[in-house]
Amino acid sequence: MAGRRDWTRETLAAGVRDGDRRALARAITLVENGEALAYDVVRDLYPETGRAYAVGLTGPPGVGKSSLISALLRHVRADDTQVGVISVDPSSPFSQGALLGDRIRLSDHFLDPGVFIRSMGTRGHLGGLAEATLQALLVLDAAGKELVFLETVGTGQSEVEVIGIADTVLLVLMPGSGDSVQALKAGIMEIPDVIAINKMDHPAAKTMLNEVRSILALDHDRDWRPPIVLTDATRGENVPELWGKIAEHRAYLEQSGELDARRRKNLAGEVFAVASARAKQHIERAVQDDPELRRVLDDVQQRRLDPLTAVREILEKVFKVGDNGAA
Ligand SMILES: Nc1nc2c(ncn2[C@@H]2O[C@H](COP(=O)(O)OP(=O)(O)O)[C@@H](O)[C@H]2O)c(=O)[nH]1
Ligand SMILES: [Mg+2]
């Protein structure tokens, strides 16, 4: 069949190492589908990873995350940095022609051999989104991408897992992102490393800047004070400045020895996130497939059995674990 190849573990790993686009595309599709071949290939490539720098972008839908990535790409490609992009954003997917419904043409980036862009679906991965993103990042890393942008919407749990592997976290806001500002203020949202307030031409941009600034000012005792940059992604305004702040954060992490510590923590976090997601699926399936366990749930519903006793019975049966966690 034209355009198709039967990849083996060896040829696919070799293709990824060479940065071959078709190998990359195939490997990430396999990752997305949770195929065994993907696990084998990532297992083979893993010792060669750890060179890519991962920048995570998060923030509410529509603030301009994808547009900022596009603008940053233009900026960093000027010195031929090899870049990968993984976008987990069903609301504004990167697509071949353009950022959907948009003036920013991405076609240049799609044609640029130094850039590999991939939009990922959010549908059921066994280990959740964290698993698919982590694996895709490792594939891009092994392919020699020096810089990888990870885009994800919002601040929910699965998004936190997606961004959890990033070395630098960039929160993107725009005038009107009041909920995110409240979440920052209340401590619900973790303080990011860099903040961009995009759509700076909006009259309320300065107000938002002051508001965010005053929230960050409450947090005295951190070595790294997150810089806030006003940007306009569509016109590319302040994009070099934003990139400068990301680079400063990276330099800070590297010079302070924090980068190693953060990566260690991030990787452990990813392992737990993926393990938890898999364990959850395993329990749900086991209960579904086992009439006896389904009856335990019925008993809870009928108030014949209390919830924590049901938990104990399910864990005992599914994982053969005892009751040492309960008080
Ligand atoms: N006026 C203005 N519009 C922008 C700017 N950045 C992005 N947009 C527009 O905002 C919309 C959402 O952008 P997008 O990058 O898809 O946001 P995302 O959902 O955060 O990825 C698009 O129509 C963009 O053209 C900006 O700086 N100024
Ligand atoms: Mg987007």
Side-chain angles (χ1 to χ4, degrees):
M1 244 187 300
R4 278 192 79 118
R5 265 173 69 174
D6 291 318
W7 297 97
T8 65
R9 179 171 177 167
E10 288 73 24
T11 57
L12 192 53
V16 168
R17 269 190 201 101
D18 288 345
D20 178 84
R21 294 180 81 81
R22 283 186 309 160
L24 267 177
R26 188 74 199 135
I28 295 179
T29 299
L30 292 172
V31 156
E32 272 208 277
N33 297 336
E35 305 240 5
L37 182 55
Y39 293 101
D40 289 338
V41 167
V42 173
R43 189 183 306 158
D44 292 346
L45 295 172
Y46 188 67
E48 298 150 47
T49 61
R51 291 168 301 180
Y53 196 83
V55 176
L57 287 87
T58 185
V63 292
K65 298 177 295 297
S66 301
S67 308
L68 267 179
I69 290 176
S70 189
L72 286 165
L73 278 174
R74 206 160 295 126
H75 184 68
V76 298
R77 282 298 293 149
D79 59 7
D80 203 35
T81 303
Q82 300 294 303
V83 196
V85 179
I86 302 165
S87 172
V88 188
D89 180 4
S91 67
S92 67
F94 277 102
S95 61
Q96 284 286 344
L99 204 56
L100 280 187
D102 215 300
R103 285 183 287 149
I104 299 187
R105 304 296 296 183
L106 268 173
S107 21
D108 291 353
H109 298 314
F110 275 102
L111 293 174
D112 180 350
V115 178
F116 188 90
I117 301 177
R118 184 61 173 254
S119 281
M120 299 234 290
T122 50
R123 66 212 143 78
H125 305 281
L126 188 60
L129 270 177
E131 174 180 315
T133 330
L134 172 63
Q135 296 280 93
L137 170 64
L138 293 173
V139 166
L140 291 172
D141 189 336
K145 298 302 176 201
E146 303 161 273
L147 173 68
V148 177
F149 290 111
L150 300 169
E151 177 191 355
T152 181
V153 174
T155 50
Q157 190 51 45
S158 62
E159 291 79 21
V160 171
E161 287 165 10
V162 167
I163 219 80
I165 198 65
D167 298 313
T168 294
V169 174
L170 167 64
L171 172 66
V172 186
L173 302 171
M174 63 176 231
S177 310
D179 289 353
S180 300
V181 175
Q182 287 311 315
L184 271 179
K185 198 169 185 172
I188 297 164
M189 193 195 290
E190 250 190 87
I191 302 289
D193 303 307
V194 180
I195 298 176
I197 298 176
N198 194 39
K199 311 199 185 184
M200 63 184 279
D201 51 329
H202 192 286
K206 286 271 156 55
T207 314
M208 171 136 235
L209 173 68
N210 290 330
E211 218 175 322
V212 175
R213 217 176 242 159
S214 67
I215 292 170
L216 295 185
L218 301 173
D219 207 357
H220 300 295
D221 35 67
R222 48 174 69 229
D223 289 340
W224 174 261
R225 313 293 302 273
I228 313 168
V229 187
L230 290 167
T231 56
D232 187 310
T234 25
R235 286 183 291 157
E237 215 167 318
N238 279 354
V239 168
E241 286 74 9
L242 177 61
W243 178 248
K245 294 302 178 191
I246 295 169
E248 268 176 41
H249 181 249
R250 177 181 187 164
Y252 158 76
L253 288 180
E254 285 172 349
Q255 280 153 23
S256 62
E258 275 287 313
L259 185 60
D260 278 346
R262 181 180 278 225
R263 285 189 166 176
R264 204 185 160 81
K265 183 168 146 261
N266 286 354
L267 284 168
E270 292 292 299
V271 168
F272 285 123
V274 174
S276 309
R278 286 182 170 226
K280 179 166 182 265
Q281 279 221 1
H282 185 69
I283 295 172
E284 283 169 356
R285 281 184 191 163
V287 172
Q288 233 166 44
D289 296 345
D290 185 335
E292 203 182 305
L293 290 179
R294 283 207 307 272
R295 201 160 51 241
V296 168
L297 284 187
D298 287 341
D299 285 348
V300 174
Q301 216 154 10
Q302 307 289 332
R303 304 208 174 250
R304 286 192 294 260
L305 190 69
D306 68 285
L308 288 195
T309 305
V311 168
R312 196 185 64 205
E313 287 186 14
I314 290 171
L315 290 186
E316 269 171 9
K317 187 134 192 232
V318 177
F319 290 128
K320 319 274 184 290
V321 289
D323 194 19
N324 46 17

